[in-house]
DNA sequence: CCCAAACTTGAGGATGACCTCAACTTATCA
DNA sequence: TGATAAGTTGAGGTCATCCTCAAGTTTGGG
């Protein structure tokens, strides 16, 4: 355990986290740190005292929010119809991306030093495999769909969201609807391209 | 008509265009201009003499390449089967994105000052409407698919390509296959979200 | 061959982001 | 109420990119 912070320091830390959340949401995950310090009413030096790196700030800001936001896994599994559960899961995930620039980045990229964020993402998405399995066992979801394909879907959605969020913030729903029609088992035609391996997936997230 | 360039100036201009093509292809459209000057063996001042802006450089580099690259419109219309033609058109478009970072950017974004680029894109894609129409009239392509949806598809593909080109350069084909299965008329379920209006499309390209 | 116009050059100012650290301020505890 | 450890500050160094311009070089017509 580390020593507790002095009262003023704790207060500044709280203000920094609040400001970071706001700035990241609004300007994305590459927002300048000086902007966060400014908005927290604190000097840039203080920000670096509390959070030696951007990743450390991520680890302070996002795990809670991700844990809250990614709770739809259980909701999806609770759906009576497995296909509806799958659709709900994917739709919620995309909604998350659409509602918050920073989550859109985080779901899509990995930051090797933000270990707490990685863990929160992992926890949130580990239900995905169950949701997929269940829909496939019910014969609703095409059997060749994998977890890696879900990640690919979020990449696709990320760019659509980025392009349209200012002028047509729900446009992504249309692409998703087309895609979901192609994910039904009844629509499936054989696909040559194999799914990404876990290693490829991992490498792609670091881009 | 503007006066012809002096011989040395023309030569430098050629070297700059060649270097720009190489650098843009390799590093994308935001590559530093100084890198281009360096690779052309010319000073940064000369680059700015010839091309007062990045967009001017685009206009010199890309229209020819785009015109050549986007010729698959006729090829698609020549396919006996209208659905195969549509698939060929979309696949070629995505291949173009996958093969060249700069084209991936250009197909996806608009640069208001690069008028020649915009025109070349427009010319290349004006066949798209015919390809879509033909596939729809044949009852193969779902009737609610529009040109705007094709652009959305290229946004989606752009991000997938960007994420995977170093480690799994054909991964985009899998997402495209799933999506195409959803674009068949036989797979279509009603979609609530309306297509982007031309204005929304235009606005989104400027992001 | 010469000179005026055309062209090239690269140092350097502007910007915006990163990160550090020596000097200052404040909380806490005895 | 000090004394001291903890915390804050912001000017300023670093870096990468953009863009300009005064001084020098080259071309080509007369």
């Amino acid at each position: 355990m580390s020593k507790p912070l002095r009262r003023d320091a704790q207060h500044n830390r709280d203000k920094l986290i609040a400001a970071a959340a706001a700035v990241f949401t609004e300007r994305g995950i590459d927002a300048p740190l000086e902007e966060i310090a400014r908005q927290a009413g604190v000097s840039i030096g203080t920000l670096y005292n509390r959070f030696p790196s951007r990743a450390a700030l991520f680890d302070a800001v996002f795990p809670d929010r991700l844990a809250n936001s990614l709770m739809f896994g259980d909701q999806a599994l609770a759906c009576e119809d497995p296909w509806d559960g799958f659709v709900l899961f994917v739709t919620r995930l995309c909604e998350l991306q659409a509602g918050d620039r920073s989550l859109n980045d985080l779901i899509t990229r990995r930051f090797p030093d933000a270990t707490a964020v990685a863990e929160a993402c992992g926890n949130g998405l580990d239900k995905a495999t169950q949701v997929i399995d269940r829909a496939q066992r019910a014969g609703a979801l095409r059997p060749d769909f994998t977890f890696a394909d879900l990640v690919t879907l979020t990449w696709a959605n990320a760019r659509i969201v980025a392009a349209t969020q200012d002028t047509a913030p729900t446009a992504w729903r249309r692409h998703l609807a087309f895609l979901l029609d192609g994910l039904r088992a009844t629509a499936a035609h054989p696909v040559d391209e194999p799914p990404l391996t876990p290693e490829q997936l991992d490498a792609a997230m670091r881009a």
Side-chain angles (χ1 to χ4, degrees), chain A residues 47-206:
Chain A
L47 186 154
Y48 277 98
N49 280 347
R50 280 310 126 243
F51 305 102
S53 68
R54 189 178 287 269
L57 199 45
F58 291 166
D59 272 349
V61 170
F62 290 112
D64 288 354
R65 284 170 74 195
L66 282 173
N68 282 333
S69 300
L70 292 174
M71 291 205 303
F72 46 76
D74 294 310
Q75 201 184 341
L77 288 171
C79 277
E80 240 177 80
D81 183 84
W83 172 255
D84 290 348
F86 174 75
V87 171
L88 182 136
F89 187 90
V90 174
T91 306
R92 284 275 180 290
L93 192 56
C94 291
E95 274 169 358
L96 212 57
Q97 297 182 264
D100 185 329
R101 265 179 161 84
S102 55
L103 293 185
N104 193 11
D105 289 349
L106 272 182
I107 291 170
T108 278
R109 293 197 226 163
R110 276 262 180 290
F111 295 80
D113 299 337
T115 54
V117 169
E119 199 195 319
C121 275
N123 288 343
L125 293 181
D126 66 359
K127 290 282 193 315
T129 315
Q130 296 171 52
V131 173
I132 292 170
D133 272 4
R134 195 170 78 113
Q136 283 172 334
R137 265 183 281 115
L141 176 61
R142 57 189 299 160
D144 54 358
F145 187 84
T146 71
F147 178 77
D149 295 320
L150 183 66
V151 176
T152 304
L153 188 161
T154 65
W155 292 332
N157 194 52
R159 182 63 181 89
I160 296 173
V161 162
T164 57
Q165 63 193 343
D166 291 332
T167 40
T170 58
W172 59 270
R173 290 182 188 276
R174 191 168 163 90
H175 181 87
L176 179 60
F178 291 161
L179 184 62
L180 283 172
D181 277 350
L183 296 183
R184 292 182 149 91
T186 51
H189 289 65
V191 172
D192 285 339
E193 184 70 21
L196 290 176
T197 65
E199 296 74 38
Q200 288 174 322
L201 200 56
D202 213 59
M205 303 272 265
R206 297 179 195 290

